[in-house]
Amino acid sequence: MKSCLKKVMLFGLIAGSAFVLPTTVFAEATGEEVEGTMIELEEGMNHNGTIEDAQQYIEEHLSDSFAGLYVDREEKQTGVVVLMFTESIADKHRQALEGFAKQPEDIEIREVDYTEEQLIEKQREIDGDGFEYDNFTIYHTGVDIINGKVVVGIDPLDERNVQFLYNKYGEELVEVVEGEQATTLEMTTMDTEMANDSEVTRQQDEDRNFFQKIIDTLKGWFS
């Protein structure tokens, strides 16, 4: 009971971004216990256990129709594990997969037209044909697993060039968008961009190390 209370208080600490700890609750907590709790919370946010269990089940029962997976955080901050299949799966398999999540709504099963591997193969085909054409240049390609498309960025983007690529590779798997050529900036602009990039990188590092920073702080209190 005491261990559960520690975890509840610690989760409140993280969610509220506060750094005031009730010493009566954590007085007996060790650094290892605190670190273990933080790791559990982080793994829960990424649904690691759910994904591993689902992947093992799919490999044993549904590998022929499995199209890919990702964690969707669009509507739910903690994320939803989206499992994609190229055909409808039986209710028994659906129930088994949903059973791997702590809450059934943490898993969503979708039916899609193409597998991730098929999209990757189409991207390789496009890349293999080269990037320079008579009337346009391809500046980037990428797999959009969520929408089931290979995104192709070209310049100039006009109806004739777009239709050329759709005729060549098929409109079902391909989405043509505007691509931009990299340009050399003036030194003053470059300095500004480098400073902005540095700030973005710093913020990303802070976000990635959020859990570890709290762990280090708490461990210091208990040492």
Side-chain angles (χ1 to χ4, degrees), residues 45-145:
M45 288 285 289
N46 294 325
H47 302 277
N48 294 343
T50 299
I51 291 174
E52 289 176 5
D53 292 340
Q55 285 179 319
Q56 182 175 348
Y57 184 90
I58 290 169
E59 185 176 347
E60 295 174 358
H61 303 282
L62 298 165
S63 59
D64 291 342
S65 61
F66 182 58
L69 67 84
Y70 65 95
V71 177
D72 184 358
R73 302 185 191 278
E74 185 69 25
E75 297 183 1
K76 189 176 180 181
Q77 187 176 5
T78 54
V80 174
V81 179
V82 179
L83 305 175
M84 299 180 295
F85 297 89
T86 55
E87 60 186 42
S88 179
I89 64 174
D91 287 341
K92 66 176 183 179
H93 294 313
R94 182 182 296 271
Q95 292 171 5
L97 291 170
E98 290 176 348
F100 294 128
K102 293 182 179 180
Q103 301 293 333
E105 59 268 22
D106 288 341
I107 280 187
E108 180 180 342
I109 297 174
R110 293 182 185 174
E111 188 173 341
V112 297
D113 295 325
Y114 306 102
T115 68
E116 182 178 8
E117 184 57 35
Q118 287 175 311
L119 295 174
I120 293 173
E121 284 298 320
K122 177 60 68 173
Q123 181 189 23
R124 290 172 179 164
E125 177 187 350
I126 296 172
D127 291 350
D129 289 342
F131 302 103
E132 294 294 336
Y133 288 82
D134 292 340
N135 299 315
F136 64 91
T137 298
I138 295 177
Y139 285 121
H140 63 81
T141 64
V143 170
D144 179 1
I145 189 174

Side-chain angles (χ1 to χ4, degrees), residues 145-207:
I145 189 174
I146 297 177
N147 296 307
K149 295 285 187 177
V150 177
V151 180
V152 181
I154 69 170
D155 184 63
L157 179 71
D158 60 37
E159 185 176 351
R160 181 180 62 175
N161 296 335
V162 170
Q163 194 59 51
F164 174 87
L165 289 174
Y166 285 157
N167 292 340
K168 184 178 178 64
Y169 297 111
E171 191 170 349
E172 297 81 7
L173 277 78
V174 175
E175 179 184 3
V176 181
V177 300
E178 184 176 9
E180 295 184 359
Q181 182 178 13
T183 57
T184 302
L185 304 177
E186 296 180 2
M187 185 60 65
T188 54
T189 305
M190 181 68 75
D191 289 342
T192 302
E193 290 295 331
M194 290 178 64
N196 291 338
D197 290 344
S198 177
E199 177 62 23
V200 170
T201 301
R202 183 189 65 79
Q203 185 61 49
Q204 289 174 340
D205 289 340
E206 288 182 357
D207 293 341

